[in-house]
Amino acid sequence: MIKFWRTIPVAALVLAVAACGADEPKATLELNAALPDKVPSGTTLRLGDPQLQAIIGAAGLDKELTAAGVKVEWANISGGPQSIQAFRADKLDCSAVADIPSLFAAWTGTSTRIVFQSVTVDPLEHPIYKLGVAPGVSVSSLADLKGKKIAYSAGQAQGALVLRVLRKAGLSQKDVQLVELTSTGDSYVTALGSRSVDVAPIGAQNIKIYEAKYPGATSIDTGIRDDASTLYCLTSAVENAEKAAALKVYVAVRTKALLWANDHEAEVAKAYYVDTQGLDEADAKAVVEIGGDKAIPSTWDAAIVRLQETADLLAQEQDHDKLDVTTLVDRRFEKVQAEAAGSRVVTGDAA
């Protein structure tokens, strides 16, 4: 343990006595300090990153984690509501989410930091969401949303997407009926099928299934970029010198895994969508193709601009406090990603 402390500049460390076990001192890393390189033996990360868990295993990159001394406790958790609840219970260090959960964590008093950013190559050609339209409802353009009942979850990416769609269509919340409904499982699909709502954002990979299940169901494109993909962590996790060292390793491995997945679609389809999600091979292949290739941006500048625009929109439309999103990102990991991606980083934000 003493050897580990010596690998970090003294000014970066504040030693605190842990209140558990044998009262062993722990190293606290300042948020502006260099990330440590050495992972102390037994360091554990609690991660809600199920898709990457499968991809890392399929790629054999789990060996890199083990070799670096990183132990992972995987949790079958993803998305904002689940992850924030787990953070508050101190059951999770980090989780894979879009961009909205970090904002709502801040607005509801849970301090987090984004440590990973990826984008989709040609994002408008490979949207995460499409707008599902209930059977018998006529919606062929965004303008047709006026007067419709739209499923809406304020604290999730789908909710922000709805607000952005309304703005693009020149509509306000007063022009539609927003129906509060958390998107979990197939809740939005069921609501559409039962005509509880007229329109709802549905994962693009589920549109064919939805339209096949409910005769007369349709969908339209949003025409809005929605590819924000992050890993966010409790601030206390990145302030823990041991976990920060482990996260440095994990972020590099996660980067390699995403890029490996671009070149191994069949393996990804089987490892995640067939083996863990229960899809048949044909559907799994289709889902991977719909998702498109992922990329690591050379800088986070554009992603931060988009996050600020979203935060400003939600603050206005949902009556939240103004938020400076630069306080939510840990740009020390920006360089870690870029170095792990090497020549495969993308410039121009993959737009």
Side-chain angles (χ1 to χ4, degrees):
M1 185 67 72
I2 294 175
K3 183 178 179 182
F4 169 57
W5 293 341
R6 288 177 179 169
T7 66
I8 307 170
V10 173
L13 294 178
V14 178
L15 299 184
V17 177
C20 59
D23 293 332
E24 181 181 351
K26 294 198 177 210
T28 300
L29 189 71
E30 299 291 343
L31 291 173
N32 60 355
L35 294 170
D37 293 321
K38 184 176 176 58
V39 181
S41 176
T43 301
T44 300
L45 291 176
R46 302 168 299 172
L47 303 177
D49 202 3
Q51 183 173 13
L52 265 294
Q53 175 187 358
I55 294 173
I56 288 169
L61 289 166
D62 51 335
K63 297 183 179 67
E64 287 195 21
L65 295 175
T66 301
V70 178
K71 179 182 178 182
V72 179
E73 291 181 358
W74 298 102
N76 188 25
I77 290 174
S78 61
Q82 279 190 319
S83 59
I84 291 175
Q85 183 179 15
F87 285 158
R88 289 172 178 165
D90 193 24
K91 299 296 184 182
L92 197 68
D93 293 319
C94 309
S95 184
V97 292
D99 51 356
I100 306 306
S102 63
L103 303 178
F104 274 83
W107 280 322
T108 56
T110 299
S111 182
T112 65
R113 292 294 186 276
I114 291 171
V115 302
F116 191 99
Q117 302 265 10
S118 64
V119 294
T120 299
V121 178
D122 297 323
L124 295 183
E125 295 297 319
H126 298 281
I128 305 299
Y129 298 104
K130 298 185 74 171
L131 295 181
V133 181
V137 174
S138 178
V139 173
S140 58
S141 71
L142 298 186
D144 295 331
L145 295 175
K146 186 173 183 179
K148 301 298 189 294
K149 294 181 295 183
I150 304 176
Y152 177 71
S153 179
Q156 295 183 277
Q158 294 92 326
L161 179 66
V162 167
L163 295 178
R164 293 172 67 199
V165 165
L166 292 179
R167 174 169 287 188
K168 181 174 182 178
L171 302 173
S172 72
Q173 294 188 45
K174 295 180 180 178
D175 295 315
V176 299
Q177 181 182 344
L178 297 181
V179 180
E180 290 281 350
L181 179 63
T182 301
S183 177
T184 56
D186 62 353
S187 60
Y188 276 14
V189 169
T190 301
L192 285 169
S194 65
R195 291 288 302 272
S196 298
V197 297
D198 300 317
V199 177
I202 296 179
Q205 72 273 17
N206 295 324
I207 287 295
K208 287 186 177 179
I209 298 173
Y210 163 63
E211 292 178 350
K213 183 175 182 180
Y214 297 102
T218 59
S219 62
I220 63 170
D221 291 328
T222 67
I224 290 177
R225 182 171 189 167
D226 63 358
D227 62 320
S229 181
T230 79
L231 186 76
Y232 77 145
C233 307
L234 279 171
T235 301
S236 59
V238 295
E239 287 178 329
N240 178 313
E242 299 178 3
K243 288 185 183 291
L247 275 170
K248 183 177 181 180
V249 175
Y250 184 69
V251 164
V253 166
R254 197 178 196 271
T255 297
K256 295 175 187 177
L258 270 184
L259 297 178
W260 178 89
N262 291 340
D263 302 325
H264 298 82
E265 291 186 352
E267 290 92 331
V268 172
K270 182 178 188 308
Y272 183 64
Y273 292 104
V274 174
D275 291 350
T276 72
Q277 300 300 297
L279 274 63
D280 61 37
E281 290 185 11
D283 286 341
K285 181 175 181 293
V287 168
V288 172
E289 291 175 350
I290 288 170
D293 286 348
K294 308 306 176 186
I296 303 301
S298 57
T299 80
W300 292 0
D301 290 348
I304 291 171
V305 168
R306 289 197 300 273
L307 183 61
Q308 187 66 63
E309 291 172 348
T310 301
D312 292 344
L313 173 64
L314 295 182
Q316 176 183 335
E317 296 290 335
Q318 298 177 349
D319 196 27
H320 294 294
D321 293 335
K322 290 280 287 183
L323 188 61
D324 178 2
V325 302
T326 62
T327 64
L328 306 181
V329 293
D330 191 331
R331 297 194 74 161
R332 294 175 298 177
F333 293 92
E334 180 179 31
K335 183 179 179 181
V336 175
Q337 281 191 273
E339 289 180 349
S343 62
R344 298 186 69 178
V345 296
V346 294
T347 57
D349 208 30

